């Protein structure tokens, strides 16, 4: 067995008719290899291979196959880790050097890297909080190389928007709404994720209920307050400044 370009490795027989070659290092992505079995090879009965057996095969070039968060993700948090997954094991040094998280204007964001055990996924975590309501682009340049030394087939970029500043965007019931079902409860919808521990101290209800059940939903950044509405009663809910998001804003 001969491969061109030459490949170091080891072989093993699975049985008398199946031989397996194991490359010592990953084959180079994007490259075409030619394999050759020379004529004269003898079988177990003494028969000889009459002609050379020659074939070619291509190795897939390295490329990005997915990201987390994805390109259609809702606004991301200010410390959101970003994971880039490739179709083959990648070289750590060149891939980390080729990665950048960039705002629309300004210097790349500093951060730390981590790799999956199979070297297919690169994780990046910012070491500084991202700016509120700002567009960032995570990019990998073609200088990133596979473990076999092949450059990335084409540059990759994905764009994210960060969460806005904390704010109330709606309530249910809305201000001034009448004839509310006594079982409905009251829901506050926020513009971004909130630190639940900062909410209750900044909500007052007049007349004050004897007990209130609360639930925060991360799905739509809403905070539900449930109590038994008294019939023919006007309620005033005051949301005062001081509620915070998980980043201290």
């Amino acid at each position: 067995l001969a491969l061109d370009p030459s490949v170091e490795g080891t072989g093993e027989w699975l049985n008398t008719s199946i031989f397996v070659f194991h490359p010592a290092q990953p084959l180079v992505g994007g490259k075409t290899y030619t394999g050759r079995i020379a004529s004269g090879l003898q079988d177990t009965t003494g028969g000889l291979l009459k002609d050379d057996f020659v074939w070619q095969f291509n190795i897939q070039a390295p490329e990005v196959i997915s990201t987390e968060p994805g390109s259609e993700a809702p606004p991301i948090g200010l410390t959101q880790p970003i994971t880039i997954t490739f179709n083959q094991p990648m070289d750590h040094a060149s891939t980390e050097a080729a990665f950048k998280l960039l705002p629309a204007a300004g210097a790349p964001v500093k951060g730390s890297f981590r790799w999956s055990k199979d070297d297919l996924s690169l994780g990046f975590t910012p070491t500084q909080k991202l700016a509120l309501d700002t567009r960032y682009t995570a990019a990998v340049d073609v200088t990133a190389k596979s473990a076999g030394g092949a450059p990335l087939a084409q540059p990759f970029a994905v764009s994210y928007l960060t969460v806005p500043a904390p704010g109330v965007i709606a309530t249910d019931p809305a201000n001034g709404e009448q004839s509310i079902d006594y079982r409905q409860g009251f829901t506050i919808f926020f513009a971004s994720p909130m630190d639940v521990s900062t909410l209750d101290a900044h909500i007052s209800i007049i007349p004050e209920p004897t007990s209130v059940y609360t639930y925060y939903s991360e799905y739509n950044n809403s905070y539900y307050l449930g109590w038994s509405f008294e019939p023919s009663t006007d309620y005033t809910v005051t949301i005062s400044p001081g509620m915070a998001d998980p980043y201290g804003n």
Side-chain angles (χ1 to χ4, degrees):
L1 169 65
L3 293 174
D4 182 24
S6 179
V7 178
E8 294 185 1
T10 57
E12 64 171 325
W13 287 97
L14 298 186
N15 52 45
T16 57
S17 63
I18 300 177
F19 177 77
V20 179
F21 177 76
H22 301 280
Q25 299 294 331
L27 300 181
V28 179
K31 186 175 287 293
T32 298
Y33 287 83
T34 300
R36 181 183 301 273
I37 303 295
S39 61
L41 185 67
Q42 183 173 317
D43 68 16
T44 56
T45 65
L48 299 178
L49 185 66
K50 182 178 180 181
D51 301 311
D52 288 358
F53 181 82
V54 181
W55 77 103
Q56 290 186 327
F57 55 93
N58 297 315
I59 305 302
Q60 189 175 24
E63 60 182 0
V64 175
I65 58 174
S66 67
T67 64
E68 178 60 41
S71 58
E72 303 298 324
I76 65 172
L78 306 187
T79 56
Q80 173 71 53
I82 295 171
T83 301
I84 308 290
T85 299
F86 301 86
N87 64 344
Q88 56 192 270
M90 299 295 289
D91 171 67
H92 289 198
S94 64
T95 306
E96 291 176 12
F99 176 89
K100 287 181 174 58
L101 181 61
L102 295 161
V109 176
K110 295 181 180 179
S112 59
F113 294 100
R114 74 184 190 285
W115 284 87
S116 60
K117 291 182 179 181
D118 55 12
D119 292 335
L120 292 175
S121 296
L122 166 68
F124 175 82
T125 301
T127 52
Q128 63 194 72
K129 292 178 184 176
L130 304 180
L132 288 165
D133 200 18
T134 300
R135 179 71 60 180
Y136 286 84
T137 299
V140 185
D141 192 60
V142 292
T143 53
K145 294 182 179 180
S146 69
L152 201 65
Q154 57 188 5
F156 175 83
V158 60
S159 178
Y160 302 112
L161 182 66
T162 57
V163 293
V168 176
I169 58 176
T171 63
D172 183 21
N175 185 38
E177 195 167 339
Q178 300 292 313
S179 300
I180 306 304
D181 188 295
Y182 75 96
R183 297 163 297 184
Q184 178 173 330
F186 184 81
T187 304
I188 307 169
F189 296 93
F190 294 97
S192 58
M194 300 296 290
D195 178 356
V196 180
S197 67
T198 69
L199 302 184
D200 289 344
H202 300 282
I203 301 174
S204 67
I205 305 169
I206 303 297
E208 185 176 354
T210 55
S211 63
V212 179
Y213 165 78
T214 61
Y215 173 75
Y216 181 80
S217 171
E218 295 181 352
Y219 173 74
N220 60 359
N221 302 319
S222 66
Y223 192 55
Y224 173 82
L225 300 97
W227 71 92
S228 295
F229 292 168
E230 295 295 332
S232 301
T233 302
D234 290 336
Y235 285 92
T236 299
V237 181
T238 302
I239 303 169
S240 59
M243 294 177 173
D245 67 12
Y247 317 104
N249 301 297

